[in-house]
Amino acid sequence: MADLATLPTPCLLLDEPRMTANIARIHGRLAGTGVSYRAHLKTAKSVEVARRQMAGPQGPAMVSTLKEAEIFADAGVADLTYGVGIAPDKLERVRALRARGVDLGMILDSVEQAEAVAAASTPDLPLAALIEIDADGHRSGVKPDDAGLLRAIAAALAPRAELRGVLTHAGESYFAKGQAALEAAAEGERLAVVGAAALLREAGHPCPVVSVGSTPTLMGATSVEGLTEFRAGVCVFFDLFQAGVGVCSPDEIALSVLTEVIGHQKDKGWTITDAGWMAMSRDRGTAAQAVDQGYGLVCDLAGRPIPDLVVVGANQEHGIVAQRAGAPYPAPDLPIGTRLRILPNHACATGAQYDRYEVVGPEGWRASWPRFSGW
Amino acid sequence: MADLATLPTPCLLLDEPRMTANIARIHGRLAGTGVSYRAHLKTAKSVEVARRQMAGPQGPAMVSTLKEAEIFADAGVADLTYGVGIAPDKLERVRALRARGVDLGMILDSVEQAEAVAAASTPDLPLAALIEIDADGHRSGVKPDDAGLLRAIAAALAPRAELRGVLTHAGESYFAKGQAALEAAAEGERLAVVGAAALLREAGHPCPVVSVGSTPTLMGATSVEGLTEFRAGVCVFFDLFQAGVGVCSPDEIALSVLTEVIGHQKDKGWTITDAGWMAMSRDRGTAAQAVDQGYGLVCDLAGRPIPDLVVVGANQEHGIVAQRAGAPYPAPDLPIGTRLRILPNHACATGAQYDRYEVVGPEGWRASWPRFSGW
C-alpha cells in the first residue's frame, strides 16, 4: 500500500478531511437562503470530487470546457452550465450533449452568438443560453445597464432558443483587499445580475436564472436577494491566493504537492527539491499580494507549514526552497531524501499538472482518484 | 479530415517544416566538431518528435523525469541521461531501467547521493552517474573548482558505481543580453566542466563525458574544446522567450495555439478568445525581457504575426487579446468565430498543457502526434 513515505514524487495530495470541511462550508453559506449551489467543476476536474461537491448526483454543476461537460455527463451529471462564451464552432458538441438528455446551458454576450445559437436550435432540440453580464470590467459580458443590447440578445434568441437567464462572475473580487472590499465586490456582483434581470423582465423576457459566483464573493456575500444560484469552484480546495484574499487560512488548503529533497546549495541557504514549476505550475498569483508565497509554502509531511519556508524559485523539475529574508530562526535541516508538502498558489493551475489525486485521510494515503485535463 | 478551420479549439499546432529546420540547425551547429548532440526530450515529450530530433533511433537523449525515460525506453531509446539530481527513492526505477538494457546515467552533486548510488549498485548491475557542476549559480551542482568535493563524490561512487563524467547547464544564459553575453555564458559553461573534468582526471578518476547544454549556449558557443556532448531541447520548437534572448526569430517558432474569437469588449479594445492560461500556460517569462509578449503573440491562421497584437491577459479559459499601447495602425477586425494562432512564451510550459500535437505541413493539417506529461 502506498503512503507518504513511498509515493513517487512529485505527486498531488488531496487532504480529504479538509476538502470535506470546505464543501460543508460552501453548502453552509447558502443553507436556508433558497439560493442553490452550482458546483464549479473546473478546479477539481474529477468525478470523485464532483460527487462530493455537488448538491446531488445530477448537479447542478458548472464547467469551463466542453470536455468537462462530456466527462461529467458520462458520470450522470444532467444539469450543467458551460461557463465560457460560446464559439459558433462548438455548437455541434453542445447539441450532441443536449441530444443525450443533458440540460446544458451556454453563456453569450453578443447578438452574433445569439443568432448562431438560434440557428443551431431546432424544434425538437432547442438550445438554452444565459446572457453573461460584466459585473466589474474583468473580462466578458454585457454591461448590466445596457438595456438595448440585453434585449437585442433576448430577441435574437427567441423564439427558437431558450433565454434561461443572466449570469456573472466578479473576477475582480480576487483583488479585493479586506472584508469591506470583499463585501462590496459581492454586492456589486449581485446587483449587476439582479439589475440586468429586471431590464429583461420589464421587456417581457422571462429570466428564471439569476446566477453569480466566485470563491471570494461566495465567502463575502452579505445578501443574496434576487439571486437563484451561486457558483464557485476553488473553495473546494482553497489555495494560497485565496488565503491572501482572506477567505481561508493555509490550514484549510486541501491540495499539496509531495516532494523530496534532492540537494543543497548551502552557501545560499537553498534546498533543492524535485517539485519545480512543472509540479507547481507557473502560477505566481501571490506575487501581487501582500505576502508573496513564491511557488508555494513548504509544509512538513503532516501538512503543517514550516515557518517562513517557501519555494523561492523553480526550474522545470527543480524547486528552490529557502527561508524568507529576515526569518528569526535558524533554517531547518532538510537532508537529501526528506519529504515535504508544498501548498500551491492556485488550485486550478497546480491541479492541471497532474492526472490524479493521491487522497490522504486521517490514516494516511487511502486512494488514487483520476483527474483529467484538456478540451 | 481535420484542418485549421475545423480542429476543436484550443489545440496545440506543431509546424513541421519549422521544426525540421530547427532540428537541422541544431545538428548543423555541431557538425564536424566531434561533439555529439544529446537531444533533450523534456520539451516535446513525444516519441514522434524524439525520432526526428535524435542523432539516431537509440539516442543519445536527455530526460527530465523517469517517466520520460520509461516511455522513451519503450520506444527503443537506449542511451539516456536523467537530468535532475537523483533522489534516493528513485533508484529502484533507475535500476529497473538499467536491468532492461537501457544505459541510463544519473546526475548528482553530493557525497550522500553518491553513497546511495553506490549502495544501490550491484556487480551485475552497476549504476552510472555524472557529477553536476554549477557553472553559473543557477541552481544545483558542485562549484567547478571544488576539487575536494569533486574527488569525494568520485571516491564515494567507486568502485561499485561508475563515474561517467561531468555535466552542467548554464541556466543563467537565459538572461544573457546580447551576443557578447551569450558567448560569455557559453564559454563559462564550457570552462566549468572542462575544469572540473581536469580536477577529477588529475586525481586519477577517468571522466569520459564532458557535457554542457542549454538552447542559448548551443546557439552562442564559439568553442567546444574539451567537450564531448551538447544538450538542448527548446531549440526543437523555439519560443518567444528564446526570440527575446535573440537566438531565434518569431518566424522560426514551431509551436502555436489555435484559438477562436468568442467575444469583444469594444470600449477597451479587447478581443476575447477561448485560449486562456490553461491553453497558454501561466508562463510569463517574457515579462522580464525587453519586449513583454503578454501570454503570447497573435498570428493569423497562416502563422504570420499580426503587428503589435498580443494576449494581454488570461483567465482560465479566456484570453484577452489587444493591441500594444501606441500601435500606429487601427486594431484589426476580428469577428466572433475568427481563428487565430498564438505563439507561446515557453514551449515546455505551453506544451505541457496538451496531450497531443496537431501537426501542420505545407498542405495543412496532416497528423496528430501524442504527447505525455507527468512523472
Side-chain angles (χ1 to χ4, degrees):
Chain A
M1 181 160 140
D3 65 41
L4 297 193
T6 58
L7 280 167
T9 56
C11 66
L12 185 63
L13 302 182
L14 170 50
D15 183 314
E16 191 178 17
R18 288 186 184 186
M19 179 187 75
T20 303
N22 294 342
I23 291 171
R25 185 175 163 203
I26 296 166
H27 289 280
R29 284 288 296 159
L30 297 172
T33 64
V35 173
S36 62
Y37 172 56
R38 181 172 291 276
H40 209 319
L41 306 182
K42 71 164 185 152
T43 303
K45 299 204 186 194
S46 152
V47 170
E48 293 286 352
V49 174
R51 287 189 174 137
R52 289 158 175 82
Q53 181 184 353
M54 296 184 297
Q58 298 198 311
M62 187 82 178
V63 292
S64 69
T65 66
L66 289 177
K67 181 169 177 181
E68 290 167 56
E70 289 156 354
I71 288 178
F72 290 118
D74 290 343
V77 183
D79 176 1
L80 282 165
T81 305
Y82 168 50
V84 177
I86 189 68
D89 291 346
K90 295 195 169 87
L91 285 167
E92 199 174 323
R93 284 170 79 183
V94 171
R95 277 184 63 86
L97 278 158
R98 288 185 66 89
R100 288 170 57 183
V102 178
D103 186 8
L104 178 72
M106 291 169 283
I107 68 171
L108 45 74
D109 65 357
S110 68
V111 171
E112 296 91 317
Q113 287 166 299
E115 287 171 346
V117 168
S121 295
T122 51
D124 60 316
L125 203 65
L127 303 183
L130 298 94
I131 303 178
E132 184 175 9
I133 306 300
D134 181 15
D136 58 6
H138 183 66
R139 57 178 185 219
S140 300
V142 179
K143 300 286 177 291
D145 58 357
D146 189 345
L149 181 52
L150 287 169
R151 292 168 183 169
I153 292 171
L157 285 171
R160 294 168 58 96
E162 171 198 344
L163 172 62
R164 178 157 293 176
V166 289
L167 171 151
T168 196
H169 164 65
E172 291 297 308
S173 68
Y174 277 52
F175 311 104
K177 289 192 165 61
Q179 185 62 24
L182 209 56
E183 291 175 10
E187 194 60 2
E189 183 180 58
R190 182 181 75 83
L191 293 174
V193 275
V194 168
L199 290 174
L200 286 163
R201 289 170 183 148
E202 281 164 22
H205 300 288
C207 190
V209 175
V210 183
S211 176
V212 296
S214 76
T215 284
T217 57
L218 175 59
M219 297 303 156
T222 53
S223 167
V224 294
E225 194 181 337
L227 303 180
T228 67
E229 65 176 34
F230 226 116
R231 316 173 318 275
V234 174
C235 43
V236 173
F237 295 149
F238 284 121
D239 55 30
L240 291 170
F241 189 93
Q242 298 297 333
V245 173
V247 298
C248 72
S249 82
D251 291 340
E252 293 173 300
I253 299 172
L255 282 191
S256 61
V257 170
L258 182 68
T259 185
E260 183 162 333
V261 172
I262 61 170
H264 302 89
Q265 293 289 18
K266 290 193 173 158
D267 55 328
K268 296 175 185 157
W270 287 359
T271 296
I272 312 291
T273 75
D274 65 0
W277 61 253
M278 193 65 86
M280 298 308 304
S281 91
R282 268 293 195 199
D283 198 293
R284 287 282 292 107
T286 60
Q289 293 186 324
V291 179
D292 183 346
Q293 305 281 16
Y295 281 91
L297 189 60
V298 180
C299 302
D300 64 18
L301 211 47
R304 290 178 297 252
I306 301 174
D308 286 320
L309 203 67
V310 293
V311 183
V312 296
N315 297 164
Q316 186 160 337
E317 300 292 350
H318 296 77
I320 300 175
V321 166
Q323 275 193 323
R324 291 181 201 285
Y329 9 73
D333 186 33
L334 301 170
I336 287 173
T338 304
R339 289 182 163 228
L340 300 166
R341 289 166 70 166
I342 317 284
L343 299 177
N345 282 323
H346 189 170
C348 306
T350 301
Q353 305 299 102
Y354 295 87
D355 64 1
R356 62 187 181 278
Y357 298 99
E358 302 297 347
V359 183
V360 178
E363 313 295 314
W365 180 90
R366 75 165 197 84
S368 289
W369 289 349
R371 188 196 186 288
F372 63 90
S373 295
W375 295 268
Chain B
M1 181 161 138
D3 65 40
L4 297 193
T6 57
L7 280 167
T9 57
C11 65
L12 185 64
L13 302 182
L14 170 50
D15 183 314
E16 192 178 15
R18 288 186 184 185
M19 178 186 75
T20 302
N22 294 342
I23 292 170
R25 186 175 163 205
I26 296 166
H27 290 278
R29 285 287 295 159
L30 297 172
T33 63
V35 173
S36 62
Y37 172 56
R38 180 172 291 275
H40 209 318
L41 307 182
K42 71 162 185 156
T43 303
K45 298 201 187 197
S46 152
V47 170
E48 293 286 353
V49 174
R51 287 187 174 138
R52 289 158 175 82
Q53 181 184 353
M54 297 184 297
Q58 299 199 310
M62 186 81 177
V63 292
S64 69
T65 66
L66 289 178
K67 181 170 176 180
E68 289 166 58
E70 289 156 354
I71 289 178
F72 291 118
D74 291 343
V77 182
D79 176 0
L80 283 164
T81 304
Y82 167 50
V84 177
I86 189 68
D89 290 347
K90 296 194 169 87
L91 285 168
E92 199 173 324
R93 285 169 78 184
V94 170
R95 276 184 63 86
L97 277 158
R98 288 185 66 89
R100 288 169 57 184
V102 178
D103 186 8
L104 178 71
M106 291 168 284
I107 68 171
L108 44 74
D109 65 356
S110 67
V111 171
E112 295 92 318
Q113 287 166 299
E115 288 171 345
V117 168
S121 294
T122 52
D124 60 316
L125 202 66
L127 303 183
L130 297 94
I131 302 177
E132 184 175 9
I133 305 300
D134 181 15
D136 58 5
H138 183 65
R139 59 178 184 219
S140 300
V142 179
K143 301 287 176 289
D145 59 355
D146 190 345
L149 181 53
L150 287 168
R151 292 168 184 171
I153 292 171
L157 285 170
R160 292 168 61 97
E162 172 197 342
L163 171 63
R164 178 158 292 178
V166 290
L167 171 150
T168 196
H169 164 67
E172 292 297 308
S173 68
Y174 277 52
F175 310 104
K177 288 191 166 62
Q179 185 63 23
L182 209 56
E183 291 176 11
E187 194 59 2
E189 183 179 57
R190 182 181 74 83
L191 293 174
V193 275
V194 168
L199 290 175
L200 286 163
R201 289 169 183 150
E202 282 164 21
H205 300 288
C207 189
V209 176
V210 183
S211 175
V212 297
S214 77
T215 283
T217 57
L218 176 59
M219 298 304 157
T222 53
S223 167
V224 294
E225 194 181 336
L227 304 180
T228 66
E229 66 176 33
F230 226 116
R231 314 172 323 271
V234 173
C235 43
V236 172
F237 295 149
F238 284 121
D239 54 30
L240 291 170
F241 189 93
Q242 298 297 334
V245 173
V247 298
C248 71
S249 82
D251 291 341
E252 293 173 300
I253 299 172
L255 282 192
S256 61
V257 170
L258 182 67
T259 185
E260 183 161 332
V261 173
I262 61 170
H264 302 90
Q265 293 290 19
K266 290 193 174 157
D267 55 329
K268 296 175 185 158
W270 288 359
T271 296
I272 313 291
T273 75
D274 65 0
W277 61 253
M278 193 65 86
M280 299 308 304
S281 91
R282 269 293 195 198
D283 197 292
R284 288 281 293 107
T286 60
Q289 292 186 325
V291 178
D292 183 347
Q293 305 281 15
Y295 281 91
L297 189 60
V298 180
C299 301
D300 64 18
L301 211 46
R304 290 178 297 251
I306 301 175
D308 285 321
L309 203 66
V310 294
V311 182
V312 297
N315 297 163
Q316 186 159 336
E317 300 292 348
H318 297 77
I320 300 176
V321 167
Q323 276 192 325
R324 290 181 202 286
Y329 10 72
D333 185 33
L334 301 169
I336 287 173
T338 304
R339 290 183 163 227
L340 300 166
R341 289 167 69 166
I342 317 285
L343 298 178
N345 282 323
H346 189 171
C348 306
T350 301
Q353 305 300 102
Y354 295 87
D355 64 2
R356 63 187 180 278
Y357 298 98
E358 302 296 348
V359 183
V360 178
E363 313 295 315
W365 181 91
R366 76 164 197 85
S368 289
W369 288 350
R371 188 197 185 288
F372 63 91
S373 295
W375 295 268

